[in-house]
Amino acid sequence: MESQTVDAVEFRDGQRQQWNKGAEGWRKRSDLIDAATAHVSKRMVELAGVGPGSRVLDVAAGYGEPSLTAAAVAGAEGEGVATGISPEMLAYGRERAAAAGLENIEFVEADAASLDYPNDSFDAAVSRWGIIFEPDGEAAAARVRGFLKPGSRFAISSWGTPEQVPFLAIPMRTLGVDPPPPGTPGPLSRPTPEALGGLLEGGGFSDVEVEETEVSFQWESSDEFVAMVKDTVPPLVALIAKHAPDDRDIAWEAILGAVKERASDDGTLTFSNLVLMAVGRA
């Protein structure tokens, strides 16, 4: 799949600002996020072949997943290297690592296109909903492949199509905002097995396989859902702001009304969302 043409420098600057603003929200909401997504991190670490003593690269690690999960598996003789563009998110990742007692993880501020390590530096690589934000994902994957030892594996993930990811799609569709075209950097950029696997194949990886899982979020109320989206999904917040610059409060009220229609009788709200995971061999 061809990436949509964007100005990479401008795009990354915008992403850095968005995720820096979102870092505090991730601090507030990480318990819910971790409970819903821990199995994705665990499975990606398995797919990448991480074991005791492994040195693992995490591309666009955000608050440190799945690099913290990988570092725990790698143990004292191994190491995790968590990279990302948002210093505020990385700072929270350091806090999480310290709280977990993980001393074998390093946090590095860098986008995927700027990473620079010697050949054969890593035993495995992972990127949970990360490399899909790269303006040229295939080039970033090829760069990562150069850092891996021959035969090592790179595991990445993406959300599915908008129809399969209601926590993102419902807010957009409520306001008549079309999801960005597939290939546009962001959470929905590689929404099919062919697209996500193609990112790795385009980066020169072989034996590419794709599997599916689900992430289910549950909120105590529809208001809690809206609050969490505002706090933790900066690309969606920016998209809504772009399409409703003069009446954002009205826009969010409309979204609240739409999700209330999906709530259970007790007011709780649950959305199950499709996740794709791909792995390829260097």
Side-chain angles (χ1 to χ4, degrees):
M1 174 179 293
E2 294 184 1
S3 298
Q4 298 294 306
T5 301
V6 299
D7 183 304
V9 173
E10 181 180 347
F11 177 79
R12 291 191 186 102
D13 285 345
Q15 287 290 299
R16 184 178 295 106
Q17 293 174 25
Q18 289 176 23
W19 289 106
N20 278 339
K21 291 179 181 178
E24 188 56 38
W26 279 70
R27 281 186 169 89
K28 291 192 296 184
R29 313 281 180 181
S30 61
D31 285 350
L32 186 152
I33 295 169
D34 290 344
T37 62
H39 67 289
V40 178
S41 287
K42 181 180 178 182
R43 181 58 180 153
M44 291 182 69
V45 167
E46 292 172 349
L47 289 171
V50 178
S54 293
R55 188 166 191 247
V56 187
L57 175 66
D58 187 352
V59 179
Y63 76 143
E65 282 297 342
S67 41
L68 269 72
T69 299
V73 172
E77 300 302 314
E79 181 186 17
V81 179
T83 67
I85 63 172
S86 166
E88 295 297 327
M89 290 290 282
L90 292 172
Y92 181 41
R94 292 187 186 96
E95 294 173 17
R96 296 179 71 239
L102 292 172
E103 299 180 353
N104 63 333
I105 184 167
E106 176 187 10
F107 291 84
V108 178
E109 184 181 343
D111 61 75
S114 301
L115 295 175
D116 189 14
Y117 293 98
N119 292 343
D120 305 343
S121 291
F122 295 94
D123 302 293
V126 290
S127 184
R128 194 184 81 167
W129 302 303
I131 197 170
I132 58 174
F133 281 85
E134 263 299 308
D136 190 341
E138 286 79 3
R143 193 170 187 84
V144 171
R145 184 169 58 87
F147 308 146
L148 291 172
K149 296 175 182 177
S152 298
R153 286 176 277 171
F154 186 19
I156 64 177
S157 72
S158 175
W159 298 104
T161 62
E163 294 80 7
Q164 299 163 320
V165 188
F167 93 97
L168 294 176
I170 289 176
M172 287 187 287
R173 288 183 170 155
T174 299
L175 302 180
V177 177
D178 292 327
T184 304
L188 299 171
S189 68
R190 308 284 175 156
T192 65
E194 295 76 16
L196 189 63
L199 190 158
L200 291 178
E201 291 170 346
F205 286 85
S206 60
D207 302 326
V208 174
E209 298 180 356
V210 182
E211 62 183 58
E212 298 180 356
T213 189
E214 283 193 348
V215 163
S216 291
F217 293 111
Q218 183 174 50
W219 297 271
E220 292 301 315
S221 68
S222 299
D223 294 271
E224 183 67 13
F225 165 81
V226 170
M228 180 177 167
V229 170
K230 287 181 176 180
D231 282 344
T232 63
V233 193
L236 181 54
V237 173
L239 185 64
I240 291 170
K242 177 181 177 181
H243 287 270
D246 300 322
D247 52 6
R248 297 181 194 180
D249 289 342
I250 294 175
W252 285 108
E253 283 297 323
I255 292 168
L256 177 61
V259 295
K260 279 184 175 179
E261 295 178 1
R262 301 282 294 268
S264 301
D265 291 342
D266 64 359
T268 60
L269 183 70
T270 302
F271 286 146
S272 292
N273 309 277
L274 182 71
V275 175
L276 303 173
M277 294 179 288
V279 62
R281 192 177 300 277

